[in-house]
Structures are given as structure tokens and as C-alpha cells.
Amino acid sequence: MAGARAAAAASVGSSTSSGHPPPQEPGLGELLEEFSRTQYRAKDCSGTGGSKVERIEKRCLELFGRDYCYSVIQNVNGDICGHYPQHIVFLEYESSEKEKDTFQSTVQVSKLQDLVNRSKTARCRGRFVCPVILFKGKHICRSATLAGWGELYGRTGYNYIFSGGADDAWADAEDITEEDCALRSDTHLFDKVRGYDIKLLRYLSVKYICDLMVENKKVKFGMNVTSSEKVDKAQRYADFTLLSIPYPGCEFFKEYKDRDYMAEGLIFNWKQDYVDAPLSIPDFLTCSLNIDWSQYQSWDLVQQTQNYLKLLLSIINSDDDSGLLVHCISGWDRTPLFISLLRLSLWADGLIHTSLKPAEILYLTVAYDWFLFGHMLVDRLSKGEEIFFFCFNFLKHIISEEFSSLKTQRRKSLPARDAGFTLEDICMLRRKDRGSTTSLGSDFSLVMESSPGATGSFTYEAVELVTAGAQTQAAWRKSHSSSPQSVLWNRPQPSEDRLPSHQGLVEAKSSSSSSSNHSDNFFRIGSSPLEVPKARLAALSERETRLQEVRSAFLATYSSTVGLRAAAPSPSGAIGGLLEQFVRGVGLRGTSSSAL
């Protein structure tokens, strides 16, 4: 493992550019073209397209190195996970130019890599808990959900019969023995596998786990192929703060495309049979947000995404020193959506990646958060499920100071005052954002599936590790005199400025087998969703300016490379296709990544 700053710098020396970069980030067009051509697989990097992927990875390491000292978890040829970067960045602390020359790792890299290898089996497709953002010494992590009985035994059995099969990331005979597989009771195996997952979470000082799944367990052909922390019968994750914040899967974004890329008024159908995960947030996390969470099923896609982002920002801006994990099912659609929005929002406030320009942060989040973590853009484009485009087009909805972590910290430090407007408030008044006009409080509480006598019954092999989170926090405090605080938003939200042409909200039914086109019921605003925003005469805040620049750069490059595509018809329901769907559904084979 390359844990030293010198080793990391040497690996990217050839890719470091001199001078100021041009407005268009070099390689962004090439990145999007490669992204739209094939799905990233770590083991394929040595082929014909390997040189392109290597340039992308080196560029990411160089951009991370501008502001951070980091270690690297080696994943060459996808030995740990087939759809994770070959060089997984472990950010340790913010750094200056002088500190980069004297970098000393604060973690035991070899033990961290060993723990990652052991814990990967606990999660769907081997997509283990991976730290991707460092903010105030806290790790913001991503992963897939927990693997269920169907995937765990199905995948290990598949790898046992077909050695070196479709997904090498799961070929791990040391962690799952024949004795484990022979046990009809899942308890011993789950105790061992999930025990290592818990060890990794604690090593990263993660306390908050946000689950975006709309299901408690993912079911394919009557088999539970995945599970989740919130329904773990043995309550192994009871020491963590679990949040169930169900968010529509990538299939729903076919409706977004069919409505000419208009998210306003698009509501997910919560009455579908497979949707069984209620929204569940501990009360202490909702008291500072002016959101009525009981109305979440009536929110359109804009409101829902805004409110969930506010919640995540509130958690990471709290006084708590604990980290955050965000995951969906596979961790490559909904998860990068919120990870990317978090990274861009914090960057726009000047709180992370402080030296990166708009084109550079755009390149980093597209390449690292989406491409190198395995988002299947080729497949999603062929089906019209454009969640990737939605992410960056959505930046126009989070430009206000309402989403600013910087203003949150500033307001908490100011003395209490009346509810009147200050000169600063008047100067910052802009067009009202769509959001919730609701009251404080929540009637929801943490829901856990209980199993009598199961609590405390599991054991697992101890791994001697010093918590990385504590060391990271100590390093962060050396360069920061005080910890930024959170804020209580007491001022009521303005009323929503809905367009009069809209006759109300339309509830769109989302289904993997069928979808309805609502484009006849709505008209488009502007000539094209790819239209680059024009400069306005009114003065913009620095946050708004930065996010608008990122969005404009994305739209310009996206239109010249990928563009807006028509959805291809779904394959016929032939026997061969049904069997292929089953194989993919239980995780035995990856989705095809053939070019369009």
C-alpha cells in the first residue's frame, strides 16, 4: 500500500499541470466520453482503455493532493472490489504546501487494508464502507447495503464452482469457510461477517448511517438478496444512529426524463407493493430543521432531494465528532447523487477542497464519486434513467444560503436577535427556492426489527486497531481554533412560487417493468435542459456563483459529449433474458456495459 505522501505524489507526477488551468477542465470531455462508453471495472484497466482510466485516476489523486495529505488503499485489478477505484484515497488531514513534504501517516495502513478485506463480504457486491469526504475531521463514507442470505451464499457458491468468475471481488475463501456455508443457521456467519463491518465503521468513527432504500430488504424472485442495518434481527447495529430516508431508485428517473427533465411536480408512488421502508429519523436530528417530515410522501423530487440534503448537512455540521455513512442498495446511483451534492455544497462554501476551481471540483466529483465507483451510465442512458444528469442540473436548487454550512456556522456564533431582516439578509434576497413550508418536529422515531434473545448474542474476532477518527479529529483541531457550530432556523420559509400553468402535482408511478410518459401534461421552461445559464445583472453570492459555474461547465461539456438521448426499448421477456435477469438480480453477474 502506498501510504506516504511521496509515493502518492510520484504516482501522479506526470499528470500535474503547470500554471492556471483553462476555464474548461482538461480531460473533462474525454472523461464523459469514456464514462458514457463503458462502465468502469478495476480489472479492465490494463486493456486498451486502461491508459485513459489511468489518466483519470492520476488526475483525481492530484486534485485530492492539492488540499489534503492522504494514504492510498490499493485495489489493483479490483482485488478488493471490482467497481471501486484502483487507488482508494483515505484522506487524513488538510495540508499546506510545507506539510506535504513532511507528511506522516496517522493510520496503520496495513491493518486498515486487512480490515477492509475482511469486512467487504458483509455488503452487497463487496462494496465496503469507504471514506470519500473529510470535513471538520469527520469521515463521510459511502457503501452498498448489507448483503442478505441470498447474495451471501449465492455469490460464495458461485465463486466456489466457477473460480475466477464474473466478480472477482467476492472470491475470498479465507473469510467464508466450508464450515460456515454448511451452517443452516445464518447467525454464526452473519456475526462474523457483519462483525468486521462494524469494526470498520468504528475505526472510521462513523455513528450515523443513512439508508436511502425504499425497501427493508431487496427481494428478487422471492429471495432476500440484500438486507439493511435497520432490519438486522440480532440488532448488531443498535449502537449506531440509524436513519431510514427512503429515496426513489434510478428507475424513477425515467419519469424525470419523460417529463422533459422537469423534477418539479414529480412525485414517487409510495403505494407500490415493494415499498415497505418508512421514513424514520430520531427526533433529536429533526428539531433544528423547519421541515414537516410526516409529509414526505407528498413531496416532489425537488423538495425531497432538498430536504434530505438539509438533513445530511445538519448532521455533519453538528458538534458531534462522529462520521456519516450514506448508502442505497448497490451504492452506485442514489449514493453518489448525495455524496456529490454534499461535496459540491461544502466546496461552494469554501470548507473543503479550498484550492480547487469550479472546473476542477466538477472533474473530481464526476470522475471519483461517479465513474470510478462504478456508476453504470451506459446502462442508465440506454433506459433513460438519467439520475447522473439530474444530480448536476439540480445544483440550481441548492444555491441559496439556506443550504450553506458557512452561514450555519456564522449564525450560531452570533448573539440572539429579533426576527427582523438585517442588511445582509436584504442583500441576499433572491428568487424563492421551492421547499417545505412546514412546522418543527417529527412524529417518527427509530424503528428496529427485534428478535427476542438475539441481542448481544454475537461475537467476532477482535482486530487491534486504533480508531482513525480520533486521530483525524486531533489533527484537524491543530489547525482550527474552534469547531463550527450548527444553527437553529427559526424564520418561517417563504411560500412556494409555483407556476400558474401547473394544475397540481402529478403522482408518477415508478416501475421497473413499465413507465408512463407525462410530458403531455407539462410544458418545458426554456428551450433545453442543457441550456447554459446566462449571467444575471443582480449581484450573486459567492456560493451561488460557484455552483452556477459548476453547473454551466457540466451542461456545456455534457451537451457536446453525451447529450440528451432517447430511451431504448427494453429487451423482450424471453427465457434467456429472464435467466439473465435472475443471475444479475442475485448478484452473480454484473450488468452489461456494452457501448451504446
Side-chain angles (χ1 to χ4, degrees), residues 254-266:
K254 173 66 164 58
E255 306 291 344
Y256 168 67
K257 176 185 180 299
D258 288 345
R259 297 177 69 250
D260 292 335
Y261 302 90
M262 282 188 58
E264 293 88 346
L266 180 59

Side-chain angles (χ1 to χ4, degrees), residues 69-115:
C69 286
Y70 62 83
S71 294
V72 175
I73 302 174
Q74 293 293 356
N75 182 40
V76 179
N77 297 321
D79 294 336
I80 304 177
C81 181
H83 295 106
Y84 272 15
Q86 286 200 105
H87 307 287
I88 301 172
V89 175
F90 184 91
L91 300 176
E92 298 197 31
Y93 53 86
E94 295 179 66
S95 63
S96 63
E97 289 298 327
K98 293 182 179 180
E99 291 173 325
K100 292 177 183 178
D101 297 331
T102 60
F103 170 65
Q104 293 183 348
S105 178
T106 61
V107 298
Q108 296 173 299
V109 185
S110 61
K111 290 188 176 181
L112 174 60
Q113 179 121 17
D114 178 68
L115 182 56

